[in-house]
Amino acid sequence: MRSIKIGVLGLGNVGAGVLRILREHSQTLEQRVSARIEVKRVLVRDLSRAREIETPEGLLTTDPSEVLEDPEIAVVVELIGGTTTAKQFVERALAAGKHVVTANKALLAEHGDALFQRAQECGRELLFEGAVAGGIPVLRAIRHGLASDRVQRLCGIVNGTSNYVLDKMTREGLAYAEAVAQAQAAGYAEADPSLDVGGVDAAHKLALLASLSFGKRVTLDSIFVEGIESIRAYDLAVAKDLGYVVRSLAIASRGADDRLQLRVHPVLLPHDHVLAGVHGAYNAVLVESEALGRSMYYGQGAGMMPTGVAVTSDIMDVARTILANTAGQASTAEDTAPPQVTRMASVVGASPDTLQHANYLCVHVAHVSGVLGRVATVLGAHGVSIAKMRQDHPEGASHARMVIVTEVVSEAAMAAAITELERGDDCVEATVRIRFMEPEG
Ligand code: HSE
């Protein structure tokens, strides 16, 4: 049986998952690909570091050229993360005639244009299913399953860490820092977890999802991003009382003028909304397309084995292409070819100022007479109408927490009202503001 040799860059969480799947499912893989997939070399930074997986003598190297320039290696699997060295390595691998599989969403969101172009010029594949929603084959579903439809809107939970943190805070009352520490310990978080909780990781994934769904080149700067860092267990408890669950959502929709509206921010969902039932580090992407209507893709969005499955399945696709090409048959690459993002028109994201939402506000003010009047006056002056209001005082604190649910207002009016509220001497902490899901969501 023919053997296809691969080289892996990086042996962290996902790298260990890929090696385990290749080892533990080797028979299944051989049957499905009709070839043996053999890991020839794995690049690591430090040979002495303890690993998630045992490796045979001589497999690990600290010399990139032993992977990137080895003529026997046909497929390079990039799992080092980051965007600088990873970009150089992917370019070197393509230039050396290797196919590339990556799970690096930041790399593709920032340098996808150049890298897909390079792969095309080199006649090599650049696959990336593991970059979005871990093990869920959502990119394949969009590129193949929905290829004949027109996507109108997609809305997803695509950062497992943020979902895990919000879910733990809601269901177990954990403090924010403790929940983040648990997500890190479980291996869900990025090396820099601020990318997760700040919304940037989800924006990287949204850029890829939206590019494929709408056939337009979506860059990071066209996405409005707001993280979950300011949300406290108290806000989640109040939301629950009101019948809502908070989730960090990545949303892309086609506006009336055909411009895309792209955003990542926390959203209050009615407790019976389909995305409200997504717990822990699970991900889900809800797609609304013209002919099919709603379809949802759900599963584990982070972690060693789920992401390992997506990466290994991409390796198998490349292996099939290699075999088909060497057999002189028509390439199966059509099925797996990188999206032609280089031919896509760029998107200028519609400004979030055009949006309108009802909002949850938690205003922290001094517990003094007249303060409620000031808050209501400021909101009223900006045309922000109050739908509900309640107030309490944290134990031992001298300030009051005023929870206000607004009617639907424009982004601009809400932002201006919060700025003015926070200018007052009686405002003791930053206001927490969470948008309610628009009714059509
Ligand atoms: N840090 C990412 C997450 C890992 O939490 O979803 C998967 O991309």
Side-chain angles (χ1 to χ4, degrees):
M1 184 175 286
R2 179 153 171 205
S3 158
I4 291 176
K5 294 192 173 42
I6 71 168
V8 180
L9 305 171
L11 189 52
N13 206 28
V14 178
V18 171
L19 260 55
R20 261 183 70 185
I21 292 166
L22 285 171
R23 192 176 294 172
E24 291 169 15
H25 299 186
S26 64
Q27 254 188 334
T28 311
L29 265 58
E30 277 177 27
Q31 278 162 6
R32 291 184 180 162
V33 178
S34 304
R36 190 170 305 122
I37 296 172
E38 204 181 305
V39 183
K40 181 158 184 211
R41 201 75 73 219
V42 178
L43 178 75
V44 294
R45 235 188 322 221
D46 174 5
L47 289 174
S48 62
R49 209 180 114 185
R51 309 266 160 208
E52 292 278 355
I53 187 161
E54 275 189 33
T55 50
E57 189 74 35
L59 187 77
L60 304 186
T61 176
T62 53
D63 177 0
S65 61
E66 286 194 22
V67 175
L68 299 170
E69 269 95 43
D70 181 331
E72 273 190 4
I73 290 178
V75 187
V76 167
V77 183
E78 183 279 306
L79 299 172
I80 58 171
T83 54
T84 309
T85 310
K87 179 170 181 270
Q88 289 161 6
F89 284 175
V90 169
E91 285 170 339
R92 266 172 74 181
L94 291 169
K98 301 177 191 323
H99 300 279
V100 175
V101 172
T102 179
N104 191 333
K105 54 259 157 169
L107 177 68
L108 296 179
E110 284 172 33
H111 302 294
D113 279 5
L115 293 176
F116 288 122
Q117 172 121 34
R118 195 80 190 101
Q120 235 174 319
E121 288 161 5
C122 298
R124 292 295 177 266
E125 294 199 28
L126 173 55
L127 298 191
F128 55 98
E129 183 66 64
V132 178
I136 312 170
V138 63
L139 300 185
R140 276 188 177 76
I142 289 170
R143 282 162 62 187
H144 303 299
L146 298 180
S148 62
D149 209 350
R150 272 168 57 87
V151 175
Q152 300 294 0
R153 186 170 194 273
L154 64 87
C155 172
I157 293 171
V158 292
N159 184 263
T161 301
S162 296
N163 206 60
Y164 180 94
V165 169
L166 290 172
D167 198 41
K168 282 276 175 183
M169 288 167 72
T170 304
R171 299 213 290 178
E172 297 174 24
L174 241 61
Y176 173 80
E178 171 63 14
V180 173
Q182 282 193 12
Q184 285 181 285
Y188 302 135
E190 298 300 299
D192 171 6
S194 69
L195 290 173
D196 295 295
V197 292
V200 174
D201 175 77
H204 285 144
K205 292 165 180 168
L206 183 64
L208 292 171
L209 279 169
S211 292
L212 296 180
S213 302
F214 298 100
K216 299 197 169 154
R217 197 188 314 160
V218 175
T219 51
L220 215 51
D221 53 9
S222 55
I223 303 177
F224 169 76
V225 181
E226 195 178 281
I228 62 165
E229 304 98 320
S230 66
I231 298 174
R232 301 163 190 220
Y234 174 77
D235 302 306
L236 301 175
V238 175
K240 195 171 170 186
D241 265 11
L242 295 170
Y244 289 84
V245 172
V246 179
R247 295 281 178 257
S248 173
L249 298 188
I251 304 171
S253 54
R254 226 188 266 275
D257 55 0
D258 223 33
R259 280 176 75 179
L260 289 187
Q261 179 64 250
L262 301 149
R263 54 210 161 95
V264 173
H265 57 76
V267 174
L268 283 143
L269 295 169
H271 69 88
D272 57 354
H273 190 283
V274 67
L275 292 174
V278 177
H279 297 292
Y282 274 76
N283 281 194
V285 181
L286 179 61
V287 181
E288 292 169 27
S289 55
E290 219 168 82
L292 172 63
R294 283 182 157 201
S295 55
M296 187 157 114
Y297 309 91
Y298 169 82
Q300 292 201 61
M304 178 192 292
M305 301 309 276
T307 312
V309 168
V311 171
T312 312
S313 298
D314 273 353
I315 297 169
M316 290 167 73
D317 269 349
V318 176
R320 289 191 189 103
T321 303
I322 293 170
L323 292 176
N325 283 343
T326 37
Q329 297 160 6
S331 168
T332 57
E334 195 190 331
D335 246 16
T336 55
Q340 305 303 303
V341 286
T342 47
R343 289 191 220 129
M344 291 174 176
S346 287
V347 155
V348 180
S351 158
D353 289 350
T354 57
L355 293 173
Q356 298 212 330
H357 292 99
N359 298 276
Y360 162 98
L361 305 178
C362 183
V363 190
H364 298 260
V365 282
H367 189 34
V368 292
S369 61
V371 71
L372 173 59
R374 189 184 82 84
V375 170
T377 304
V378 169
L379 292 176
H382 289 276
V384 178
S385 175
I386 297 173
K388 277 183 200 160
M389 197 253 148
R390 69 195 234 185
Q391 180 182 326
D392 77 351
H393 316 106
E395 231 179 80
S398 59
H399 72 278
R401 287 185 291 217
M402 251 179 230
V403 169
I404 294 163
V405 175
T406 75
E407 303 285 5
V408 174
V409 291
S410 71
E411 283 286 317
M414 195 66 264
I418 293 173
T419 305
E420 191 176 336
L421 277 179
E422 291 185 342
R423 232 182 263 137
D425 291 341
D426 50 10
C427 204
V428 296
E429 279 178 33
T431 298
V432 177
R433 179 258 179 116
I434 311 174
R435 296 164 184 82
F436 283 82
M437 184 65 139
E438 315 81 288
E440 75 273 13

Coordinates of all heavy atoms in Angstrom, one line a residue, residues 103 105 130-134 158-162 187-191 196 201 205 281 283 301-303 307, ligand 1:
A103 N -5.1 24.8 11.0 CA -6.3 25.1 11.8 C -6.2 26.6 12.4 O -6.8 26.9 13.3 CB -6.4 24.2 13.0
K105 N -7.0 30.1 12.3 CA -8.0 31.1 11.8 C -7.4 32.5 11.8 O -7.7 33.2 10.9 CB -9.2 31.1 12.7 CG -9.0 31.3 14.2 CD -9.1 30.0 15.0 CE -8.4 30.1 16.3 NZ -8.6 29.0 17.1
G130 N -10.4 22.8 10.3 CA -10.2 22.9 11.8 C -10.2 24.4 12.3 O -10.2 24.6 13.5
A131 N -10.1 25.3 11.4 CA -10.0 26.7 11.8 C -11.3 27.3 12.4 O -11.3 28.3 13.1 CB -9.5 27.6 10.7
V132 N -12.4 26.7 12.0 CA -13.7 27.3 12.4 C -14.5 26.2 13.1 O -14.8 25.1 12.5 CB -14.5 27.9 11.2 CG1 -15.8 28.4 11.7 CG2 -13.7 29.0 10.5
A133 N -14.9 26.5 14.3 CA -15.8 25.6 15.0 C -15.3 24.2 15.2 O -16.0 23.2 15.2 CB -17.2 25.6 14.4
G134 N -14.0 24.1 15.5 CA -13.3 22.8 15.9 C -13.7 21.7 15.0 O -13.5 21.7 13.8
V158 N -19.1 30.6 18.1 CA -17.9 30.0 17.5 C -16.7 30.2 18.4 O -15.6 29.8 18.0 CB -17.6 30.6 16.1 CG1 -18.7 30.2 15.1 CG2 -17.6 32.1 16.1
N159 N -16.8 30.7 19.6 CA -15.7 30.7 20.5 C -16.1 29.9 21.7 O -16.9 30.3 22.6 CB -15.3 32.1 20.9 CG -14.1 32.0 21.8 OD1 -14.2 32.1 23.0 ND2 -12.9 31.9 21.2
G160 N -15.5 28.7 21.8 CA -15.9 27.8 22.9 C -15.5 28.3 24.3 O -16.3 28.1 25.3
T161 N -14.4 29.0 24.4 CA -14.0 29.6 25.7 C -15.0 30.6 26.2 O -15.4 30.5 27.4 CB -12.6 30.3 25.5 OG1 -11.7 29.3 25.0 CG2 -12.1 30.9 26.8
S162 N -15.5 31.5 25.4 CA -16.4 32.5 25.8 C -17.7 31.8 26.2 O -18.4 32.2 27.2 CB -16.8 33.5 24.7 OG -15.6 34.2 24.4
G187 N -8.0 23.4 28.1 CA -7.4 23.4 26.7 C -8.2 24.0 25.7 O -7.9 23.9 24.5
Y188 N -9.2 24.8 26.1 CA -10.1 25.4 25.1 C -9.5 26.8 24.6 O -9.7 27.2 23.5 CB -11.5 25.7 25.6 CG -12.2 24.5 26.1 CD1 -12.9 24.5 27.3 CD2 -12.2 23.3 25.3 CE1 -13.6 23.3 27.7 CE2 -12.9 22.2 25.8 CZ -13.6 22.2 27.0 OH -14.2 21.1 27.4
A189 N -8.9 27.5 25.6 CA -8.5 28.9 25.3 C -7.3 29.0 24.4 O -6.5 28.0 24.3 CB -8.2 29.6 26.6
E190 N -7.2 30.1 23.7 CA -6.0 30.4 23.0 C -4.8 30.7 23.9 O -5.0 30.9 25.1 CB -6.2 31.7 22.1 CG -7.3 31.6 21.1 CD -7.0 30.5 20.1 OE1 -6.0 30.6 19.4 OE2 -7.9 29.6 20.0
A191 N -3.6 30.6 23.4 CA -2.4 30.9 24.2 C -2.6 32.3 25.0 O -2.3 32.4 26.1 CB -1.1 30.9 23.4
D196 N -9.9 35.2 23.0 CA -11.2 34.5 23.2 C -12.2 35.5 23.8 O -13.2 35.8 23.1 CB -11.0 33.3 24.1 CG -10.1 32.2 23.5 OD1 -10.5 31.7 22.5 OD2 -9.1 32.0 24.1
D201 N -11.0 36.1 18.4 CA -11.0 34.8 17.9 C -12.3 34.5 17.1 O -12.3 34.0 16.0 CB -10.8 33.8 19.0 CG -10.9 32.3 18.5 OD1 -9.9 31.8 17.9 OD2 -11.9 31.7 18.7
K205 N -13.0 33.8 12.9 CA -13.8 32.7 12.4 C -14.9 33.2 11.5 O -15.3 32.7 10.5 CB -14.3 31.8 13.5 CG -13.2 31.1 14.2 CD -13.6 30.5 15.6 CE -12.5 29.7 16.3 NZ -12.8 29.5 17.7
A281 N -18.2 24.3 26.1 CA -17.4 24.8 25.0 C -18.0 24.4 23.7 O -17.3 24.5 22.7 CB -16.0 24.3 25.2
N283 N -20.0 24.6 20.2 CA -20.2 25.6 19.2 C -21.5 25.3 18.4 O -21.9 24.1 18.4 CB -19.1 25.7 18.2 CG -17.8 26.4 18.7 OD1 -17.0 26.7 17.9 ND2 -17.7 26.6 20.0
G301 N -16.5 22.6 19.6 CA -15.8 23.7 18.8 C -14.3 23.9 19.2 O -13.7 24.7 18.6
A302 N -13.9 23.2 20.2 CA -12.5 23.4 20.6 C -12.0 22.1 21.2 O -12.8 21.2 21.6 CB -12.4 24.6 21.5
G303 N -10.7 22.0 21.4 CA -10.1 20.9 22.1 C -9.3 20.0 21.2 O -9.5 20.0 20.0
T307 N -10.9 19.2 17.3 CA -10.1 19.9 16.2 C -9.2 18.9 15.5 O -9.0 19.0 14.3 CB -9.4 21.1 16.8 OG1 -10.3 21.8 17.7 CG2 -8.9 22.0 15.7
Ligands
HSE1 N1 -9.9 29.2 21.6 C1 -10.8 28.7 20.7 C2 -12.2 28.6 21.3 C3 -10.3 27.3 20.2 O1 -12.3 28.7 22.5 O2 -13.1 28.4 20.6 C4 -10.9 26.8 19.0 O3 -10.7 27.6 17.9

